[in-house]
Amino acid sequence: MKKTLFFSLLICSAIVAIYAQTLKFDFVSLDEEDHLANRQYFLSSVKNIPEAFQHNTYYPNGTSQYYRPLHTISFMLDAIGDITPSKSHAINIVLHMGAALLLFWFMRELGIGKTASFFLALLFAVHPIGSRIVGWVPGRNDATFAIFAIASCIAYLRWVAHPERWWLMAVHLVLFFAAFLSKELGIVLPILYVLMPRNYVVSRKHVGLVAGGWILIVIFWWLMRSEALAGTVVTAWNDLLLGLFPNTVAIPFYLQISSLPLHPSVMPTMQDALHWLPIVVSGAFIAILIVLGKRFQPRSNLLLFGIAWFLLFLLPSLAGYGSDIRLVLFEHRAYVPLMGLLFIAAAFPWGRMIPFSRSRRFILAGAVVAVYGVFAFLGTRDFRDALTFWEKAVAQAPDYAGSHKGLGTVYVNRGRFDDAVNEFQKALELNPTEKRVHNNLGIIYLNQRRVQEAEMEFLSELDVNPGYAITYNNLGFVYATQKRFADAEKAWLTALVFDPWYAAPHQGLAIIYAIANNKEQSLAHIEALVKLGAPLSPDIQKIYESYR
């Protein structure tokens, strides 16, 4: 017990040593707005937890085809008090710790030696892929899923060993459901439960009961998801499968960054996947695996389980893009599949393969962990702020429109409007339908008092992104400055249709209704602001006091 606790403390200490730096990092402006900033009022109230199970993952400020309610609930922790980058990164550190510790425990349940389990879990803890989970706040989704998926596996093995303890099966099924509610990858877990190495035979009766539980959970999840995504454009399953096959060429890329994480990228594209390095490393990995497998007779069931884990969790991540324009092979997607490679490593008898003394093997393993830890420490710095991240994204993926859009957005926030316009124009040259680019150009023109040009850009944004509440709000402001109050009212009301938790349209409506001497309507929107917990501007405060 003391040894286990000591190993656990070492794993946590290694994570803190590498990732404590993120507590001083900023957000990188890659989806944080959708997940956090734009939903602050919604996330700040625990009363909205039921709403998270009834809507898509961007609700209420946007639409998404993903149904991940536990991901949304995790962001409610960030919204306790003020949303700050340090708090968000601290939560990610804790989640990564949880995943690494559970992996250590899971390996012990699989019959892997304590020391081997420790070194493999430590390698996972310091692996550079973890920098993509901790450094990028929305990347926590994979850590959240990993926690529930591994915990469900542990509960399953415990129940198989003690089938008379029905509460263990209930815990397993609850954790399986929680994994599903974290990420759609839960669909492959039942296959892995069956393939999981175990020392006990499960009776047909018990197999039928637990399999029935899996089926009921999948059906229940499907019904919840269908209801939550009703009216949302969702990629059809056949399109997902059709998108999978051409993208399987990216498997060597993920195998390479998992086994030999050289040249990390914040914005890897298919061009990176087709580079010679992933192909060579993957070929060498497979060749070595075959040679060692023939010579040293690994645990075949654990080897098969590791291969299945890697492929089953990786392949769904490659499905459904359909267009090279938006294909980005984000490295954080290898976070859970990486565990499969560690299971493969655990299947081999390293004591016979490396005929060194025990102390020398420890030194060698420690050296490998140290090298990976240094890579992770340095790689995490790619996420220290938005400018660093997006300048690197443009350098690494200059032909991807999203890179230029991201860098342009950073330039807008820093007041470098000419540089921003150049980046946005490059983005539109690469992809004329890239969302939010026209909106950002409109904001620039509005700041430069080029009101008509701003209006045209906002209308162009709505052509490619018709449900974007922020653009309707911006358009309402344009109309209000031109004293086109009827058009402003319509734009702001439309913004609230798409995002009822959006404070800015209420502010504009409160003012124009006050100008029109419509006290009742003006007061209704001011009270909506108060209910949201939004601060009242001096002008609105004056109006509010005059109504009292």
Side-chain angles (χ1 to χ4, degrees):
M1 182 66 182
K2 290 183 178 179
K3 191 174 182 180
T4 299
L5 180 60
F6 176 66
F7 283 160
S8 299
L9 289 174
L10 284 179
I11 290 171
C12 293
S13 298
I15 291 173
V16 170
I18 293 171
Y19 297 118
Q21 60 179 318
T22 64
L23 298 178
K24 296 182 179 180
F25 286 6
D26 200 352
F27 294 127
V28 298
S29 297
L30 178 64
D31 295 341
E32 289 99 337
E33 292 85 357
D34 291 323
H35 286 294
L36 279 168
N38 295 343
R39 302 199 294 172
Q40 182 171 359
Y41 302 121
F42 172 77
L43 295 172
S44 61
S45 175
V46 294
K47 295 179 181 179
N48 293 323
I49 288 177
E51 293 284 338
F53 292 91
Q54 300 172 38
H55 300 282
N56 70 80
T57 195
Y58 281 169
Y59 178 84
N61 73 295
T63 58
S64 168
Q65 64 175 335
Y66 297 116
Y67 177 64
R68 298 169 179 175
L70 293 188
H71 190 40
T72 294
I73 291 171
S74 78
F75 289 118
M76 290 184 172
L77 297 174
D78 304 65
I80 297 174
D82 294 331
I83 294 175
T84 63
S86 58
K87 185 198 301 182
S88 297
H89 285 116
I91 293 170
N92 281 24
I93 290 173
V94 172
L95 290 172
H96 183 45
M97 278 185 187
L101 292 174
L102 281 169
L103 178 62
F104 175 46
W105 186 7
F106 183 32
M107 286 185 168
R108 296 292 294 124
E109 292 289 330
L110 290 173
I112 301 168
K114 185 175 290 186
T115 302
S117 297
F118 161 67
F119 274 113
L120 290 170
L122 182 61
L123 186 62
F124 173 78
V126 305
H127 196 286
I129 286 174
S131 67
R132 275 51 189 151
I133 299 297
V134 179
W136 180 49
V137 171
R140 73 172 58 161
N141 196 32
D142 290 88
T144 306
F145 172 78
I147 287 172
F148 289 117
I150 297 172
S152 74
C153 290
I154 294 171
Y156 178 75
L157 287 176
R158 289 292 181 93
W159 172 71
V160 167
H162 304 282
E164 73 281 0
R165 300 178 182 175
W166 294 104
W167 63 270
L168 281 173
M169 185 177 74
V171 170
H172 158 69
L173 292 175
V174 169
L175 291 169
F176 169 52
F177 189 38
F180 238 136
L181 295 176
S182 301
K183 200 169 185 178
E184 299 80 359
L185 286 175
I187 193 70
V188 306
L189 278 170
I191 301 174
L192 293 170
Y193 297 146
V194 173
L195 294 175
M196 206 181 305
R198 54 185 183 271
N199 297 321
Y200 303 92
V201 177
V202 186
S203 69
R204 290 185 177 180
K205 173 185 175 182
H206 291 135
V207 169
L209 284 172
V210 75
W214 297 336
I215 293 170
L216 287 175
I217 286 172
V218 171
I219 292 173
F220 189 52
W221 170 82
W222 178 263
L223 292 173
M224 290 177 64
R225 178 181 180 273
S226 299
E227 180 66 23
L229 300 184
T232 303
V233 178
V234 178
T235 305
W237 288 103
N238 58 325
D239 291 333
L240 285 172
L241 292 175
L242 288 173
L244 170 62
F245 292 110
N247 294 333
T248 53
V249 295
I251 292 176
F253 168 76
Y254 282 107
L255 184 56
Q256 178 255 307
I257 65 170
S258 300
S259 56
L260 192 65
L262 301 175
H263 306 297
S265 175
V266 299
M267 202 66 62
T269 63
M270 189 59 78
Q271 186 176 357
D272 296 294
L274 299 177
H275 191 261
W276 63 267
L277 181 62
I279 297 171
V280 170
V281 171
S282 298
F285 180 90
I286 295 171
I288 292 171
L289 193 65
I290 293 172
V291 171
L292 293 179
K294 290 182 177 180
R295 185 173 179 181
F296 293 101
Q297 297 180 335
R299 284 179 57 185
S300 57
N301 57 353
L302 186 55
L303 180 65
L304 176 63
F305 178 67
I307 294 172
W309 183 287
F310 178 78
L311 291 175
L312 288 175
F313 281 129
L314 177 61
L315 288 174
S317 300
L318 302 177
Y321 286 100
S323 171
D324 288 341
I325 290 177
R326 57 188 296 264
L327 178 57
V328 180
L329 304 171
F330 288 115
E331 293 180 352
H332 73 272
R333 293 178 183 140
Y335 184 77
V336 178
L338 169 63
M339 298 176 186
L341 300 187
L342 299 176
F343 297 141
I344 292 172
F348 286 88
W350 290 93
R352 288 193 292 120
M353 290 167 53
I354 303 177
F356 295 165
S357 65
R358 184 179 177 85
S359 60
R360 288 186 176 181
R361 287 202 302 271
F362 276 18
I363 292 172
L364 180 60
V368 172
V369 168
V371 170
Y372 275 59
V374 170
F375 284 166
F377 184 86
L378 297 175
T380 304
R381 294 183 176 183
D382 293 340
F383 296 84
R384 62 179 173 265
D385 57 53
L387 182 61
T388 299
F389 180 87
W390 287 108
E391 283 184 340
K392 191 156 191 174
V394 168
Q396 293 175 336
D399 296 328
Y400 175 56
S403 298
H404 295 283
K405 177 179 68 175
L407 183 56
T409 302
V410 174
Y411 286 153
V412 170
N413 294 334
R414 291 173 178 251
R416 296 169 55 178
F417 296 131
D418 291 340
D419 292 332
V421 170
N422 289 335
E423 293 299 327
F424 290 143
Q425 289 175 345
K426 289 176 185 176
L428 291 174
E429 288 173 7
L430 292 166
N431 179 16
T433 61
E434 186 73 22
K435 293 181 178 180
R436 306 190 184 184
V437 176
H438 287 292
N439 180 75
N440 292 338
L441 283 169
I443 291 172
I444 293 173
Y445 296 147
L446 200 54
N447 275 282
Q448 296 173 339
R449 301 182 185 278
R450 297 157 63 181
V451 178
Q452 290 184 335
E453 291 173 86
E455 179 183 355
M456 294 302 296
E457 291 296 341
F458 291 141
L459 291 172
S460 296
E461 177 66 31
L462 294 177
D463 287 338
V464 298
N465 194 9
Y468 195 36
I470 290 176
T471 298
Y472 280 107
N473 177 67
N474 293 337
L475 197 58
F477 184 79
V478 167
Y479 293 147
T481 59
Q482 297 173 324
K483 300 189 183 302
R484 296 163 58 185
F485 295 129
D487 291 332
E489 177 190 21
K490 182 179 179 181
W492 281 328
L493 289 174
T494 304
L496 290 174
V497 169
F498 289 112
D499 183 0
W501 294 83
Y502 193 7
H506 286 297
Q507 294 172 344
L509 288 164
I511 291 173
I512 64 170
Y513 285 138
I515 293 173
N517 293 318
N518 190 335
K519 176 181 176 180
E520 183 179 351
Q521 290 280 35
S522 179
L523 185 59
H525 286 284
I526 294 174
E527 290 175 343
L529 287 169
V530 173
K531 186 177 179 181
L532 287 173
L536 302 182
S537 68
D539 289 338
I540 293 179
Q541 189 68 47
K542 282 184 181 180
I543 296 170
Y544 195 26
E545 290 175 357
S546 70
Y547 290 158
R548 289 179 175 179

